[in-house]
Amino acid sequence: MPIRYKCRHCETEIGQLPLDSIDEHFLQKNDITVDEQELYIEHGASGDYTVQCICEECQSSLQKFPNYYALKKWIQ
Protein backbone atom coordinates (compact mmCIF):
# COMPACT_ATOMS: atom_id res chain seq x y z
CA MET A 1 0.00 0.00 0.00
CA PRO A 2 1.97 3.01 -1.23
CA ILE A 3 1.66 6.71 -0.68
CA ARG A 4 1.16 8.18 -4.16
CA TYR A 5 1.95 11.75 -5.12
CA LYS A 6 -0.21 13.07 -7.95
CA CYS A 7 -0.40 16.52 -9.53
CA ARG A 8 -3.73 18.08 -8.65
CA HIS A 9 -3.83 19.98 -11.95
CA CYS A 10 -2.74 17.56 -14.70
CA GLU A 11 -3.17 14.35 -12.62
CA THR A 12 0.30 13.06 -13.55
CA GLU A 13 1.66 10.61 -11.00
CA ILE A 14 4.80 12.23 -9.64
CA GLY A 15 6.00 9.31 -7.56
CA GLN A 16 5.19 6.93 -4.74
CA LEU A 17 6.62 5.64 -1.51
CA PRO A 18 5.95 2.24 0.02
CA LEU A 19 3.87 2.80 3.15
CA ASP A 20 5.86 0.21 5.11
CA SER A 21 9.04 2.28 4.70
CA ILE A 22 7.46 5.28 6.47
CA ASP A 23 7.62 5.52 10.24
CA GLU A 24 4.06 5.65 11.67
CA HIS A 25 5.14 8.39 14.08
CA PHE A 26 6.19 10.48 11.07
CA LEU A 27 2.73 10.13 9.53
CA GLN A 28 1.05 11.40 12.69
CA LYS A 29 3.45 14.32 13.16
CA ASN A 30 2.75 16.88 10.47
CA ASP A 31 2.33 20.60 10.16
CA ILE A 32 -0.86 20.70 8.10
CA THR A 33 -4.33 21.38 9.43
CA VAL A 34 -7.24 18.95 9.32
CA ASP A 35 -8.82 21.05 6.55
CA GLU A 36 -5.63 20.79 4.49
CA GLN A 37 -5.48 17.05 5.09
CA GLU A 38 -9.05 16.67 3.82
CA LEU A 39 -8.26 18.83 0.79
CA TYR A 40 -4.91 17.31 -0.23
CA ILE A 41 -4.80 13.73 1.11
CA GLU A 42 -7.13 11.01 -0.15
CA HIS A 43 -7.48 7.69 1.67
CA GLY A 44 -8.13 4.81 -0.72
CA ALA A 45 -10.37 1.84 0.00
CA SER A 46 -7.37 -0.51 -0.05
CA GLY A 47 -5.54 1.52 2.61
CA ASP A 48 -3.34 3.54 0.28
CA TYR A 49 -2.94 7.31 0.33
CA THR A 50 -2.85 9.81 -2.53
CA VAL A 51 -1.31 13.21 -1.85
CA GLN A 52 -2.45 15.97 -4.19
CA CYS A 53 0.55 18.20 -4.96
CA ILE A 54 1.91 19.99 -8.01
CA CYS A 55 4.35 18.81 -10.68
CA GLU A 56 7.22 20.91 -12.05
CA GLU A 57 5.45 21.59 -15.36
CA CYS A 58 2.31 22.94 -13.70
CA GLN A 59 4.38 24.95 -11.22
CA SER A 60 6.23 26.54 -14.12
CA SER A 61 2.92 27.42 -15.81
CA LEU A 62 1.58 28.93 -12.59
CA GLN A 63 4.68 31.10 -12.30
CA LYS A 64 4.18 32.35 -15.86
CA PHE A 65 0.42 32.86 -15.45
CA PRO A 66 -0.30 33.67 -11.78
CA ASN A 67 -3.99 34.29 -12.49
CA TYR A 68 -4.35 30.48 -12.75
CA TYR A 69 -4.09 30.33 -8.94
CA ALA A 70 -7.67 31.58 -8.77
CA LEU A 71 -8.90 28.48 -10.62
CA LYS A 72 -9.39 25.19 -8.82
CA LYS A 73 -8.65 23.17 -11.96
CA TRP A 74 -7.21 25.03 -14.93
CA ILE A 75 -6.26 22.08 -17.15
CA GLN A 76 -9.30 20.50 -18.74
Side-chain angles (χ1 to χ4, degrees), residues 35-72:
D35 291 336
E36 291 171 329
Q37 288 178 13
E38 291 176 1
L39 186 62
Y40 297 114
I41 301 174
E42 299 172 8
H43 300 273
S46 62
D48 60 332
Y49 295 92
T50 301
V51 178
Q52 299 289 327
C53 50
I54 186 168
C55 69
E56 290 179 8
E57 295 293 324
C58 289
Q59 179 64 33
S60 176
S61 294
L62 285 168
Q63 288 176 339
K64 291 177 188 171
F65 305 101
N67 57 323
Y68 287 175
Y69 278 105
L71 305 172
K72 184 173 182 171

